[in-house]
Amino acid sequence: MAYRRTPAVQARLDAQREAVLQSAVGLLAERGYGGCTMAAVADRAGIATGSLYQHFANKAELSVELFRRVVTREIAAVNAAVARRDAPQQRIAAVVETFAARALRAPRLAYALLVEPADAVVDGERLVFRRAFRDVIATEIAAAVAAGELPEQDPVLTAAALVGAVGEALAGPLAAEPAPAHEPAPEHSDNTTVVPALVSFTLRALGGRDDSDA
């Protein structure tokens, strides 16, 4: 007769799995994928490394689940920001503004999500991530075109180009090491100008206007 877990045992395993994922998110934000080893995650979660393998067969499997959790959170934040805006162009700006601002507030985590070398399966998840943001932007571009706010264009193609451009523009600031406390930060590391510049770039690339246009 096959062993069947009792509800209490299953609840304990579910709680342990959740603790593992929370610990992995913390390590990813601190050390990136390179430091998010199975042993380190198990240690942070307060369990034996062998127990971790009850939930995830290897680091690649853990990384995929971890990536999906963090990306789901980021997509939700973007969608919430979009929902607070009325005009289509404002909604497009909200996507870029929210994504870039959150990335710059947690640069190590964002770097791991976007560009840090990782397993092939994680690269596959990154493609899903980019497509999710592309689709959010494409929906708003289509609405803006239909409302006559933007010139006729292919919403999906334009949105894909914007996602690529924004990701590339953020790669440098996210990879930059912070300056020591006693030294002034170099000019290019002034992230306070990055988000407004990206929003302005996005609106102009779409054929629209931003607040700085005369």
Side-chain angles (χ1 to χ4, degrees), residues 1 3-4 10 14 22 36 41 48 57-58 68 71 82 85-86 92 96 116 146 149 153 168 174 181 202 213:
M1 182 176 180
Y3 170 74
R4 299 180 64 181
Q10 188 60 54
D14 290 344
Q22 290 183 5
C36 201
V41 171
N58 48 48
R68 290 176 180 173
V71 166
V82 168
R85 308 288 179 90
D86 295 323
I92 295 167
V96 175
E116 183 179 356
E149 293 188 9
Q153 57 194 289
E168 182 64 23
L174 293 178
T202 296
D213 291 328

Side-chain angles (χ1 to χ4, degrees), residues 128-154:
V128 174
F129 180 35
R130 290 195 296 270
R131 285 174 175 168
F133 275 103
R134 178 204 66 188
D135 290 346
V136 172
I137 297 174
T139 297
E140 302 306 331
I141 292 174
V145 170
E149 293 188 9
L150 292 176
E152 197 68 33
Q153 57 194 289
D154 182 332

Side-chain angles (χ1 to χ4, degrees), residues 13-140:
L13 289 172
D14 290 344
Q16 188 178 77
R17 189 175 192 276
E18 178 61 25
V20 165
L21 286 170
Q22 290 183 5
S23 298
V25 170
L27 281 171
L28 187 67
E30 294 171 14
R31 307 178 189 175
Y33 277 114
C36 201
T37 65
M38 297 290 276
V41 171
D43 183 65
R44 176 69 64 92
I47 63 175
T49 303
S51 297
L52 181 56
Y53 285 97
Q54 292 182 310
H55 303 285
F56 302 99
N58 48 48
K59 182 180 177 180
E61 188 176 298
L62 171 61
S63 296
V64 167
E65 185 66 25
L66 172 59
F67 192 95
R68 290 176 180 173
R69 167 167 292 213
V70 177
V71 166
T72 298
R73 184 180 68 190
E74 296 306 306
I75 293 291
V78 166
N79 283 328
V82 168
R84 292 192 291 269
R85 308 288 179 90
D86 295 323
Q89 286 195 69
Q90 292 177 345
R91 292 162 71 90
I92 295 167
V95 176
V96 175
E97 181 179 41
T98 304
F99 173 71
R102 288 176 64 86
L104 292 169
R105 284 199 298 269
R108 193 66 190 86
L109 177 61
Y111 181 76
L113 292 177
L114 293 172
V115 295
E116 183 179 356
D119 297 307
V121 291
V122 172
D123 286 335
E125 292 298 316
R126 283 179 175 146
L127 181 58
V128 174
F129 180 35
R130 290 195 296 270
R131 285 174 175 168
F133 275 103
R134 178 204 66 188
D135 290 346
V136 172
I137 297 174
T139 297
E140 302 306 331

